[in-house]
Amino acid sequence: MKALVLTSKEEGVVFNSDYPMPEAGPGEVLVKVKAAALNHRDVWITKGMYAGIKYPTILGSDGVGEVAAVGEGVDDALVGQDVIINPNVGWGDNPRHQLRSYSILGLPKDGTLAEFVVVGADRVRAKPAHLLIEQAAALPLAGMTAYRALFGRAGLQPHEKVLINGVGGGVALYALQFAVACGAQVYVTSGSEDKISRAIAMGANAGANYKEEGWQKAFAKAHGEMDVIIDSAGGNGFAALVDLVAFGGRIAFYGGGQGNINNLNPQKLFWKQASILGSTMGSDREFSDMVDFVEKHRITPVVDSVYTLENGKAAFEHMANGAQFGKIVINVG
């Protein structure tokens, strides 16, 4: 089969037209992938910045396709159905956190950047009918991550104010869309005025450019403090978010792209009775709830660009540059 294969840190992903076909075992399904989507996790793995990397590996956690075959013990009625894939592997029964043995589709197990992928039969769900193939491929991992951060961890309520820090990436845009759909007052930040304008067109009340010195002071004066803040950057800019969080507010973060937080003022946090909440991925229940929410509100994922499998290396380069607004999708077949 055709696949994008990670062969080494030096070479990165390479298109392979003759990679061995997988077969569905007991309790599994073979999915003919129609489209897949990239996540920052995929780029970090190619750079060697992830635990447990092995070569060769097919990356990709997001995917949509048609069930081509089923293994022993799986209902034949699944064959021919268009499905999206839950990328969780072994979350466990505790909704508060995953098991230590938890993993994500696309490492160590081969992922979706190929013509076929094998997953557990309980990992597939019917594709939301209102979504195009490329849109559905963009949903699973980022949608689940945003849903857990907003609702599972931060407990966002419809009457509250929420700030999405660093809008433009897949998770941040889902957080924006979900917060708008639930009726919250939504604000955004970005280093790009264009991304701020596009976020406002999607329903945000207002935005601020975090590259401007002291931006949080002008923002607080104009819009007040935030009940919920969603962040993926960390780094020294995190201190501005602490300045903006309201009494009893919650900061949920799912990444640390800007590195360690070195200038945190604990007095501001404990005086405000504020909470800092780590979050990543989501439980199987949250995945299901997220898809239900998307179907109920007919939310359409934002697709930045679409590449072919053969040109997949360029898609990785585009994501590494960080200029995208929405998800980068690979059209597989």
Side-chain angles (χ1 to χ4, degrees), residues 140-208:
L141 187 149
M144 176 167 54
T145 301
Y147 191 89
R148 178 175 176 83
L150 267 182
F151 302 116
R153 298 294 279 147
L156 178 67
Q157 299 299 309
H159 63 276
E160 292 184 311
K161 293 181 179 179
V162 56
L163 174 68
I164 313 299
N165 190 39
V167 77
V171 179
L173 282 175
Y174 282 122
L176 165 63
Q177 290 177 290
F178 295 168
V180 169
C182 90
Q185 300 175 56
V186 188
Y187 302 86
V188 301
T189 74
S190 175
S192 162
E193 294 295 338
D194 177 64
K195 289 183 179 181
I196 292 171
S197 296
R198 294 172 74 175
I200 291 172
M202 292 173 61
N205 291 48

Side-chain angles (χ1 to χ4, degrees), residues 48-119:
M49 301 166 61
Y50 209 87
I53 298 174
K54 66 181 182 68
Y55 307 102
T57 292
I58 297 173
L59 302 179
S61 306
D62 287 331
V64 61
E66 179 183 320
V67 177
V70 299
E72 182 183 346
V74 180
D75 189 348
D76 289 341
L78 280 175
V79 175
Q81 290 192 20
D82 279 342
V83 296
I84 57 173
I85 298 171
N86 177 351
N88 281 333
V89 181
W91 176 279
D93 297 328
N94 191 334
R96 294 183 63 189
H97 61 81
Q98 69 274 38
L99 296 173
R100 290 185 183 273
S101 59
Y102 172 78
S103 64
I104 302 168
L105 183 65
L107 184 77
K109 186 176 180 181
D110 281 347
T112 58
L113 294 175
E115 286 187 298
F116 293 90
V117 64
V118 167
V119 296

Side-chain angles (χ1 to χ4, degrees), residues 5-56:
V5 184
L6 178 64
T7 56
S8 68
K9 179 181 176 181
E10 293 71 28
E11 196 171 25
V13 292
V14 175
F15 176 72
N16 186 329
S17 62
D18 193 28
Y19 196 82
M21 274 278 296
E23 294 183 0
E28 295 179 329
V29 296
L30 176 70
V31 178
K32 186 181 189 307
V33 181
K34 295 183 177 181
L38 297 188
N39 292 283
H40 285 291
R41 174 181 188 264
D42 299 308
V43 174
W44 294 332
I45 292 171
T46 66
K47 294 181 177 181
M49 301 166 61
Y50 209 87
I53 298 174
K54 66 181 182 68
Y55 307 102

Side-chain angles (χ1 to χ4, degrees), residues 241-303:
L241 306 184
V242 174
D243 289 341
L244 283 175
V245 72
F247 274 65
R250 294 87 69 201
I251 303 174
F253 70 100
Y254 56 89
Q258 294 300 310
N260 292 339
I261 300 167
N262 299 312
N263 54 353
L264 196 64
N265 186 327
Q267 287 85 353
K268 291 180 180 178
L269 285 167
F270 69 66
W271 181 248
K272 291 182 176 181
Q273 310 281 345
S275 300
I276 296 179
L277 304 162
S279 185
T280 186
M281 296 296 287
S283 67
D284 289 343
R285 177 74 260 173
E286 283 165 322
F287 177 82
S288 179
D289 289 346
M290 179 273 294
V291 178
D292 288 344
F293 188 90
V294 166
E295 291 180 324
K296 176 182 177 181
H297 295 281
R298 298 186 66 81
I299 290 170
T300 302
V302 179
V303 174

